[in-house]
């Protein structure tokens, strides 16, 4: 049938999707399966999860592609990388127009369709997915509304697909309870989450560090990463994530500083977000510390994450983020009703926090834009 699978970060949505896709192909119930996601880096990770189960990949198995690759397939043309949002809106419009002719070769092509990161699909993307289905084609889409990062996305549009039912995943498995408590405290959701629902693993509370410049933030991140390596953690199990800066040169500056500081500690690193091609080539099994924007690692996870944020993104809470599991409800009551100035950026911090399975360090940088450029 057609089902919308809702669950919090780390509740196993991607695992359910890949397990279901693998089962359908291995049992011979489906010959051709489409697996869509939004994040370019995530596509490679999903292929690796399927490959680990020896699932055939490609046209005679599971085709994994970002949603804009589907649009390119519909249009029979290459989509260029662009900073212009109107360009991508036009691509969606043209793809929909092509599907509405009823002549597109992709209509009815797949025996089953799976969608990860469904909360980030726009209404036009959801309509694209619906229009490629045959009446009997099963659809399984997974989403977490708390990870809704784009103003143009429309999570509620999935409910408009005929025959769509909803299932829930409530228990969380990826992160420790302490990391999830920290992230939930930041999120300040409409409902308080009990300790038992936060996760099955115990660990240390995340720590908040402060830096007065990008250079100091990079040095702190490198030191924390090197410390975990000395304790026996693989380099490939660690990441340093940061919020994407509207000034692309500033983002490149921070990534360069991080690579330099990590190298000085004897650590290998990779920056898979230089452009779309680099994202598509990203291999999660490479034993190097990942330096990336939060956006590009959405859907991924690491044992240890250092999250670098400008102090402005802390919404004035850098000094009051949860430091102990005690008093969680009081903290939630104090914060959940507070207005959020930028919901997408607020959700972005939550996504960054929940990429960590075992250890999380948050570095709040107080550098002003002028100081960052001089640093």
């Amino acid at each position: 049938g057609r089902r919308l699978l809702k669950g919090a970060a780390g509740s196993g949505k991607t695992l359910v999707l890949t397990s279901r896709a693998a089962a359908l192909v291995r049992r011979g119930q489906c010959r051709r399966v489409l697996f869509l996601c939004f994040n370019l880096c995530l596509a490679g990770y999903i292929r690796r999860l399927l490959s680990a189960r020896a699932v055939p990949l490609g046209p005679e198995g599971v085709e994994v592609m970002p949603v804009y690759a589907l649009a390119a397939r519909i249009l029979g043309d290459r989509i260029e990388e662009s900073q212009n949002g109107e360009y991508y809106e036009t691509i969606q419009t043209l793809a929909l127009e092509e599907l509405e002719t009823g002549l597109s070769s992709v209509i009815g092509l797949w025996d089953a369709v799976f969608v990860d990161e469904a909360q980030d699909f726009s209404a036009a993307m959801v309509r694209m997915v619906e229009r490629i289905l045959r009446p009997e084609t099963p659809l399984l889409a997974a989403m977490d509304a708390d990870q809704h990062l784009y103003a143009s996305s429309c999570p509620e549009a999935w409910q408009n697909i005929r025959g769509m039912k909803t299932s829930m995943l409530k228990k969380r498995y990826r992160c420790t309870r302490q990391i999830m408590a920290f992230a939930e405290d930041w999120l300040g959701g409409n409902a308080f989450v009990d300790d038992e629902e936060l996760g099955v693993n115990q660990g240390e509370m995340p720590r908040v560090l402060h830096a007065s410049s990008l250079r100091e933030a990079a040095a702190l991140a490198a030191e924390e990463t090197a410390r975990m390596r000395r304790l026996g953690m693989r380099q490939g199990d660690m990441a340093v994530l940061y919020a994407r800066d509207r000034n692309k040169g500033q983002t490149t500056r921070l990534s360069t500083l991080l690579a330099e500081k990590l190298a000085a500690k004897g650590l290998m690193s990779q920056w898979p977000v230089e452009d779309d091609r680099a994202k598509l080539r990203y291999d999660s099994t490479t034993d190097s510390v990942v330096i990336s924007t939060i956006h590009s690692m959405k859907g991924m996870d690491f044992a240890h994450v250092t999250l670098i944020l400008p102090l402005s993104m802390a919404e004035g809470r850098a000094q009051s983020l949860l430091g102990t599991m005690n008093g969680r409800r009081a903290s939630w009551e104090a914060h959940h009703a507070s207005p959020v100035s930028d919901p997408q950026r607020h959700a972005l911090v939550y996504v960054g926090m929940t990429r960590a399975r075992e250890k999380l360090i948050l570095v709040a940088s107080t550098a002003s834009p002028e100081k960052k450029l001089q640093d």
Side-chain angles (χ1 to χ4, degrees):
R2 296 176 180 177
R3 195 166 293 273
L4 183 62
L5 184 65
K6 295 183 177 182
S11 58
K13 298 182 294 298
T14 302
L15 180 60
V16 170
L17 290 169
T18 52
S19 299
R20 176 78 173 147
L24 289 178
V25 172
R26 284 205 302 254
R27 294 171 185 169
Q29 294 172 263
C30 293
R31 187 172 65 89
R32 305 191 69 170
V33 172
L34 175 63
F35 200 125
L36 292 172
C37 60
F38 190 91
N39 181 8
L40 298 181
C41 290
L42 183 60
Y45 178 66
I46 291 169
R47 289 190 193 98
R48 186 161 292 282
L49 290 177
L50 292 166
S51 176
R53 297 170 178 265
V55 176
L57 301 173
E60 297 301 317
V62 183
E63 287 191 88
V64 182
M65 64 180 77
V67 64
Y68 280 109
L70 173 63
R73 183 86 160 264
I74 294 167
L75 296 172
D77 199 2
R78 179 180 173 182
I79 295 178
E80 302 294 334
E81 183 177 0
S82 174
Q83 297 295 318
N84 186 349
E86 292 183 2
Y87 170 77
Y88 291 107
E89 291 177 7
T90 301
I91 292 298
Q92 295 176 54
T93 300
L94 292 174
L96 269 176
E97 289 176 354
E98 181 67 23
L99 289 173
E100 286 168 356
T101 67
L103 301 176
S104 174
S105 61
V106 307
I107 297 175
L109 180 62
W110 292 282
D111 302 318
V113 176
F114 295 83
V115 180
D116 206 354
E117 307 178 292
Q119 74 278 350
D120 289 328
F121 281 48
S122 68
M125 292 173 184
V126 176
R127 289 198 298 274
M128 283 168 50
V129 173
E130 184 175 20
R131 280 167 169 72
I132 66 173
L133 304 175
R134 298 190 298 268
E136 72 281 5
T137 304
L139 168 68
L140 180 60
M143 65 176 288
D144 175 12
D146 289 334
Q147 298 185 58
H148 175 199
L149 301 186
Y150 304 98
S152 62
S153 58
C154 187
E156 59 272 17
W158 294 98
Q159 302 286 0
N160 298 328
I161 294 180
R162 180 174 296 179
M164 203 71 158
K165 299 179 180 178
T166 301
S167 295
M168 298 290 296
L169 294 174
K170 292 187 177 181
K171 191 172 288 188
R172 304 143 195 242
Y173 300 92
R174 175 197 298 151
C175 311
T176 64
R177 285 188 176 184
Q178 286 74 15
I179 290 173
M180 282 309 306
F182 188 81
E184 285 291 332
D185 178 66
W186 163 263
L187 194 63
N190 292 327
F192 179 75
V193 181
D194 292 330
D195 287 0
E196 293 73 21
E197 291 184 36
L198 287 174
V200 297
N201 302 314
Q202 294 285 352
E204 300 175 2
M205 286 299 299
R207 292 186 293 130
V208 180
L209 307 178
H210 294 267
S212 60
S213 68
L214 286 184
R215 185 174 296 278
E216 184 182 359
L220 286 171
E223 178 55 42
E224 291 298 326
T225 306
R227 181 174 66 87
M228 295 311 301
R229 188 190 186 188
R230 292 194 295 269
L231 294 174
M233 189 172 286
R234 288 180 62 255
Q235 295 180 90
D237 284 334
M238 297 184 282
V240 183
L241 306 180
Y242 53 89
R244 184 171 58 200
D245 199 303
R246 292 179 175 89
N247 180 344
K248 190 173 181 179
Q250 192 62 46
T251 295
T252 304
R253 172 65 172 155
L254 177 56
S255 65
T256 301
L257 282 171
L258 286 167
E260 291 174 355
K261 296 297 183 181
L262 288 167
K265 296 288 184 181
L267 294 162
M268 300 287 289
S269 64
Q270 57 174 322
W271 187 47
V273 299
E274 182 176 4
D275 53 33
D276 283 357
R277 292 183 181 181
K279 294 173 187 176
L280 289 169
R281 291 194 302 266
Y282 169 61
D283 185 350
S284 60
T285 65
T286 302
D287 192 24
S288 297
V289 179
V290 170
I291 300 171
S292 174
T293 61
I294 302 170
H295 279 92
S296 292
M297 288 299 113
K298 185 163 53 65
M300 314 291 286
D301 59 80
F302 304 87
H304 174 81
V305 170
T306 304
L307 184 60
I308 298 178
L309 299 175
L311 193 62
S312 60
M313 286 189 68
E315 298 275 339
R317 294 187 52 204
Q319 305 290 347
S320 62
L321 287 168
L322 198 67
T324 173
M325 293 290 282
N326 297 327
R328 284 190 57 236
R329 180 174 285 277
S331 181
W332 171 77
E333 290 174 350
H335 296 303
H336 87 283
S338 301
V340 175
S341 59
D342 189 333
Q344 273 73 48
R345 286 173 72 83
H346 193 77
L348 182 66
V349 176
Y350 175 77
V351 170
M353 291 175 176
T354 54
R355 297 313 92 198
R357 297 195 305 270
E358 300 171 16
K359 305 280 185 180
L360 172 63
I361 304 293
L362 190 150
V363 180
S365 173
T366 58
S368 66
E370 293 76 15
K371 183 175 178 59
K372 286 193 291 184
L373 290 171
Q374 295 168 4
D375 181 33

